């Protein structure tokens, strides 16, 4: 598959972007197969970007039914009840994405992503997850890492006007030009488990306070057995108590996690479309 050339139709359709990043990059993109779980606004922006760019195939997973709340940041859902009534988020988004680029195969996979065995992941080049628990992120990342071929793993989350992306490319090799020679370089990415296990006190001082705030909320959801995003301002007292405990455990000054930031993240549980566009655009480039 890696040696297949672009068809005449692909070359004509993607002519402008080929002029930007080259034929080889477009060829590799057209042979990539992406699995996405959790169809929120940020993920929808990402899907739109890679479909327009000409990814090989895109598989969507999200069995949740479409609700009025889903319309706030998901522009793929038509504002007509008759169109989405009785359909899952993945099904509605799939129908819309197919219209963006008929040359890209967009499909729906039903079920819980964490319940599939390792062989299921071998079909994909990259896995992107959102709207899931801390434990699920660990599990999916571990399954990707155990496969014989390299499967890139990404998580993306957005709350209010804030968001974050985690990237695990495992052992990543790239070429870097220096003067008249090209040098092959390698990057060793940590797993999700390794990344979240790093002691907070050892992280760079300039690290965004948002990172610590998101970790506090994630740990609270896990401890309470909540689904991702199932928090509200009513949980603030217990979250502040957990923040104090975690800061003591991690030897981190509590000032690194302002109470006002946690309060903001609990009040603004919905995504902002402009922020979704920015974060989804960044994820599409990664």
């Amino acid at each position: 598959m890696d040696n297949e050339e672009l068809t005449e139709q692909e070359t004509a359709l993607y002519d402008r972007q080929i002029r930007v990043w080259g034929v080889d990059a477009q060829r590799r993109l057209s042979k990539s197969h992406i699995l996405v779980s959790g169809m929120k606004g940020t993920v929808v922006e990402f899907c739109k970007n890679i479909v327009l760019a000409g990814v090989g195939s895109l598989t969507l997973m999200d069995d949740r039914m479409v609700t009025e709340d889903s319309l706030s940041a998901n522009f793929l859902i038509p504002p007509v009840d008759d169109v989405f009534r009785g359909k899952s988020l993945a099904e509605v988004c799939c129908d819309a994405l197919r219209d963006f680029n008929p040359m890209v195969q967009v499909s729906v996979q039903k079920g819980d992503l964490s319940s599939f065995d390792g062989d299921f992941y071998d079909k994909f080049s990259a896995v992107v997850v959102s709207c899931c628990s801390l434990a699920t992120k660990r599990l999916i990342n571990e399954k990707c890492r155990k496969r014989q071929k390299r499967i890139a793993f990404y998580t993306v989350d957005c709350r209010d006007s804030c968001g974050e992306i985690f990237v695990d490319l495992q052992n990543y090799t790239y070429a870097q030009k220096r003067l008249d020679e090209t040098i092959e370089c390698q990057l060793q990415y940590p797993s999700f488990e390794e990344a979240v296990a790093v002691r907070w006190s050892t992280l760079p001082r300039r690290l965004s306070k948002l990172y610590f705030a998101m970790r506090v909320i994630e740990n609270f959801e896990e401890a309470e057995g909540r689904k991702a995003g199932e928090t509200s301002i009513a949980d603030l007292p217990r979250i502040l108590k957990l923040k104090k405990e975690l800061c003591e455990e991690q030897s981190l000054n509590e000032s690194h996690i302002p109470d006002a930031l946690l309060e903001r993240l609990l009040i603004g549980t919905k995504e902002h479309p402009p922020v979704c566009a920015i974060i989804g655009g960044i994820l599409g480039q990664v």
Side-chain angles (χ1 to χ4, degrees):
M1 290 290 291
D2 290 340
N3 295 321
E4 288 185 11
E5 298 298 327
L6 295 173
T7 65
E8 289 186 15
Q9 189 177 5
E10 288 174 322
T11 303
L13 180 62
Y14 305 126
D15 177 68
R16 290 186 178 181
Q17 58 202 52
I18 288 174
R19 295 172 189 270
V20 175
W21 54 53
V23 174
D24 185 58
Q26 185 64 45
R27 179 183 59 80
R28 285 185 282 113
L29 178 63
S30 68
K31 307 309 174 189
S32 297
H33 305 283
I34 313 300
L35 172 66
V36 171
S37 176
M39 301 306 297
K40 293 191 71 177
T42 307
V43 174
V44 163
E45 289 282 354
F46 162 74
C47 291
K48 177 258 294 180
N49 291 337
I50 64 171
V51 165
L52 290 175
V55 71
S57 71
L58 176 63
T59 302
L60 310 178
M61 295 189 71
D62 197 326
D63 293 338
R64 295 176 299 168
M65 292 293 107
V66 178
T67 64
E68 288 190 8
D69 287 342
S70 307
L71 297 171
S72 62
N74 191 331
F75 65 87
L76 293 179
I77 303 175
V80 182
D81 291 354
D82 293 339
V83 176
F84 64 75
R85 186 182 294 121
K87 289 187 176 182
S88 69
L89 279 166
E91 290 170 334
V92 173
C93 292
C94 179
D95 292 340
L97 286 167
R98 284 172 177 163
D99 293 335
F100 277 78
N101 188 348
M103 292 188 66
V104 175
Q105 180 184 346
V106 185
S107 60
V108 172
Q109 175 67 56
K110 293 182 178 294
D112 179 5
L113 181 58
S114 60
S115 67
F116 288 87
D117 59 24
D119 293 340
F120 170 76
Y121 296 88
D122 286 337
K123 299 180 289 185
F124 304 103
S125 314
V127 175
V128 180
V129 299
S130 183
C131 319
C132 64
S133 66
L134 196 59
T136 299
K137 292 175 183 176
R138 290 193 188 102
L139 177 62
I140 304 306
N141 184 222
E142 183 181 356
K143 288 184 177 183
C144 289
R145 280 184 155 254
K146 286 183 176 180
R147 308 315 300 165
Q148 187 172 4
K149 75 168 191 175
R150 183 175 68 88
I151 303 174
F153 173 81
Y154 304 85
T155 70
V156 59
D157 289 292
C158 185
R159 289 173 180 263
D160 192 58
S161 60
C162 306
E164 65 176 4
I165 299 170
F166 172 81
V167 181
D168 177 15
L169 302 182
Q170 301 181 33
N171 297 315
Y172 183 69
T173 303
Y174 65 98
Q176 187 175 52
K177 290 186 177 181
R178 294 181 182 175
L179 298 178
D180 296 330
E181 61 178 343
T182 301
I183 301 175
E184 188 177 272
C185 305
Q186 281 196 337
L187 281 178
Q188 178 70 44
Y189 282 74
S191 67
F192 184 83
E193 175 65 31
E194 291 168 339
V196 297
V198 174
R199 285 192 63 80
W200 293 356
S201 58
T202 65
L203 294 169
R205 294 186 63 182
R206 63 180 181 178
L207 186 67
S208 171
K209 294 177 181 179
L210 175 64
Y211 172 82
F212 301 113
M214 296 286 272
R215 300 291 77 73
V216 171
I217 293 176
E218 265 187 344
N219 277 276
F220 176 79
E221 290 173 342
E222 184 174 48
E224 294 288 321
R226 308 269 187 94
K227 293 181 180 179
E230 284 189 349
T231 49
S232 68
I233 191 62
D235 297 312
L236 184 60
R238 285 184 292 168
I239 287 178
L240 292 178
K241 179 183 178 183
L242 178 61
K243 181 195 83 168
K244 181 178 177 64
E245 294 171 356
L246 289 173
C247 285
E248 290 177 356
E249 179 186 324
Q250 297 283 346
S251 303
L252 183 75
N253 192 303
E254 289 186 47
S255 64
H256 283 77
I257 316 176
D259 293 353
L261 176 57
L262 288 169
E263 183 176 352
R264 174 183 167 187
L265 294 174
L266 292 173
I267 293 174
T269 55
K270 291 186 178 180
E271 297 173 294
H272 287 193
V275 179
C276 293
I278 294 170
I279 298 176
I282 294 172
L283 179 59
Q285 295 175 30
V286 175

